[in-house]
Amino acid sequence: YLSLSMRRLYFDHAASTPVGPRVLRAMRPYFSREFGNPGSLHSFGQKAIAAVDAARENIGKLIGAKHFREVIFTSGATEANNLALRGAVEFYKKNHLTGEGADTSARPRIIISAIEHESVFETAKILEQQGAEVIKLPVNKEGVIDIVALKDALNEHTVVISVMHVNNETGTIQPLREIKFMIDAFRKESRRPEYPLFHTDAAQSFAYLYCDVELLGVDMMTLSGHKMYGPKGVGALYVRQRVPLVGQVSGGGQEFGLRSGTENVPSIVGFAKAAQLAAAERGKTATRITALRDELWRRIKSIAPAAEINGPAGDAKAPHILNIYFPGHAAQDLLTRFDRAGLAASSGSACRSRAVESSYVIEALGYDKARAASSIRFSLGKGTTKRHIVTAVRIIERALAK
Ligand code: PMP
């Protein structure tokens, strides 16, 4: 990240972060010298499986897992979210809604927030087409879910509740512990006390917030390597022991039967190293980045007094995300001007921005399409400095003047 020059100002860390040098060093041997298949019994395979197991153990410890088998490596947060939702619903349908004495007219219910990432949102939509019932919890202006609406949405066929830890567009932090208490109370009265399962997508939070599965009270938690200075294409789903899931990729039975395919050894090693560094540095990083983010906002507000923040304005948000509404300016035009001047930002989720669709997240906060189409997300990271902020604001000022 030190190589980012003044001409390339990167304010899109929520989309991806660069792989750090220590991570790269940890990964390197596993591309060539230690290239064995972790499933092989010979010494090459043993080296590879030992590396994967160590990575699993380390990530498990960092998130407070009780057993290393609770960490399932995937190709990223998208796949982890798919496994959590599809895996839970498929198990429920097979075991509780079919067979003798089953209520075959019942529909499995999924509860999500209205501002989940596409990988949860679209997956829920597909499950809905396949017969599930999907309840989307409304959020307030800050993006926080309505806990009372959650209570009302619970029923005896609620299979999984998926509420993200930190929103990728606004930085909103969801009250996961409060949700957990509500679920606990519901489970006490339930015929199937293992349900509803509680899943969170922690892709955006791990680098900044303490993500302990006991503290958060979740049964499943999604992580992504490239949001914490690790490689792309690797992530994990934490799955608490005895959480009933059906694997979604079949084959050789790797990852305890939940995700077949030869393990991506170098990326898994890099992911674990990145997670270790992120957890060790997160307090310091969060404090520094919060101050820079506030400075960015102060400076933007002074050159563009009409600008407003989307989402939480105070400190009750993730440090790295600042989403700003620039009235009267099309986000796409601004982003093009920014890019020409060397400033990289985004109009929201990178998974959607190529489609030039405005943000459903901003709309879910209660704003209209026009505001969503005039809003830009700046996301800071370890490489961001005060000088980057000053230069970025100069570029923003010029782009707004055009
Ligand atoms: N969830 C959230 C909250 C995200 O921000 C992202 C990345 N845009 C993802 C999931 C998808 O992560 P991955 O790229 O690892 O599939």
Side-chain angles (χ1 to χ4, degrees):
Y1 16 92
L2 296 176
S3 67
L4 292 177
S5 75
M6 291 299 288
R7 291 186 161 277
R8 289 186 72 210
L9 293 166
Y10 187 74
F11 280 80
D12 204 11
H13 290 83
S16 199
T17 56
V19 169
R22 279 179 287 181
V23 170
L24 201 54
R25 212 174 307 133
M27 292 171 72
R28 204 167 272 139
Y30 295 96
F31 285 106
S32 47
R33 198 177 68 233
E34 308 298 351
F35 66 92
N37 186 323
S40 301
L41 294 177
H42 46 61
S43 64
F44 293 82
Q46 287 164 19
K47 285 261 185 176
I49 192 72
V52 171
D53 282 348
R56 200 187 304 283
E57 187 86 41
N58 290 339
I59 290 179
K61 277 193 193 131
L62 293 171
I63 60 173
K66 292 250 172 5
H67 199 286
F68 89 128
R69 290 173 68 106
E70 294 177 321
V71 176
I72 306 300
F73 289 115
T74 65
S75 65
T78 298
E79 189 192 326
N81 287 340
N82 269 265
L83 174 58
L85 267 61
R86 290 175 192 262
V89 169
E90 188 177 329
F91 186 98
Y92 193 86
K93 275 186 173 175
K94 274 190 184 149
N95 293 278
H96 301 293
L97 300 179
T98 53
E100 220 172 301
D103 176 2
T104 50
S105 67
R107 296 169 70 194
R109 181 174 284 195
I110 302 164
I111 302 176
I112 64 174
S113 83
I115 60 170
E116 291 301 305
H117 184 263
E118 283 83 351
S119 52
V120 166
F121 222 71
E122 293 299 317
T123 303
K125 201 185 280 175
I126 292 168
L127 289 167
E128 193 172 35
Q129 287 156 5
Q130 296 171 352
E133 225 181 334
V134 176
I135 310 279
K136 291 193 190 106
L137 301 174
V139 297
N140 64 16
K141 273 258 167 346
E142 310 228 296
V144 178
I145 66 151
D146 183 339
I147 291 268
V148 179
L150 169 60
K151 191 170 185 188
D152 293 343
L154 291 168
N155 75 355
E156 66 161 324
H157 292 297
T158 305
V159 179
V160 57
I161 297 163
S162 183
V163 177
M164 69 205 313
H165 193 192
V166 162
N167 180 266
N168 49 306
E169 295 191 37
T170 61
T172 303
I173 301 169
Q174 299 291 2
L176 299 186
R177 247 183 113 65
E178 272 180 63
I179 299 174
K180 175 227 183 326
F181 290 136
M182 178 154 296
I183 295 173
D184 279 351
F186 184 85
R187 280 178 180 164
K188 279 203 189 102
E189 312 286 317
S190 163
R191 265 196 308 144
R192 301 187 187 93
E194 69 272 35
Y195 289 108
L197 302 171
F198 184 24
H199 167 252
T200 194
D201 175 351
Q204 288 294 344
S205 59
F206 188 88
Y208 299 101
L209 306 180
Y210 191 51
C211 289
D212 183 283
V213 292
E214 293 305 324
L215 192 80
L216 299 177
V218 294
D219 301 305
M220 296 186 275
M221 181 168 79
T222 289
L223 298 173
S224 175
H226 73 116
K227 311 288 182 185
M228 55 173 92
Y229 304 85
K232 294 171 185 58
V234 66
L237 182 67
Y238 159 79
V239 184
R240 190 181 289 280
Q241 273 178 305
R242 287 185 289 280
V243 159
L245 281 192
V246 177
Q248 298 297 302
V249 183
S250 49
Q254 289 91 340
E255 299 301 305
F256 315 108
L258 285 178
R259 202 273 185 175
S260 289
T262 301
E263 298 85 342
N264 184 349
V265 183
S267 291
I268 288 170
V269 169
F271 172 32
K273 185 72 187 173
Q276 178 211 327
L277 295 172
E281 296 167 1
R282 62 160 77 97
K284 231 172 63 191
T285 310
T287 308
R288 197 178 72 82
I289 289 179
T290 300
L292 287 173
R293 180 201 66 204
D294 293 346
E295 167 108 29
L296 176 61
W297 170 235
R298 267 198 309 277
R299 284 176 182 260
I300 289 178
K301 190 73 182 161
S302 77
I303 58 149
E308 287 174 24
I309 290 179
N310 295 315
D315 265 352
K317 65 187 284 184
H320 62 307
I321 297 176
L322 184 63
N323 195 310
I324 299 180
Y325 167 45
F326 292 103
H329 293 271
Q332 292 307 322
D333 292 345
L334 288 180
L335 288 173
T336 308
R337 285 176 211 152
F338 290 173
D339 186 47
R340 277 200 212 115
L343 168 63
S346 99
S347 58
S349 172
C351 307
R352 195 188 50 243
S353 35
R354 289 214 184 270
V356 201
E357 251 175 65
S358 64
S359 167
Y360 62 82
V361 171
I362 305 300
E363 283 184 58
L365 305 186
Y367 297 120
D368 58 11
K369 267 202 162 38
R371 179 159 174 147
S374 292
S375 294
I376 288 181
R377 175 187 72 184
F378 298 92
S379 50
L380 290 66
K382 286 204 287 190
T384 312
T385 63
K386 171 88 181 275
R387 276 177 71 192
H388 290 169
I389 304 279
V390 173
T391 316
V393 173
R394 222 177 286 143
I395 293 170
I396 296 166
E397 186 170 23
R398 240 174 278 149
L400 292 171
K402 278 194 185 147

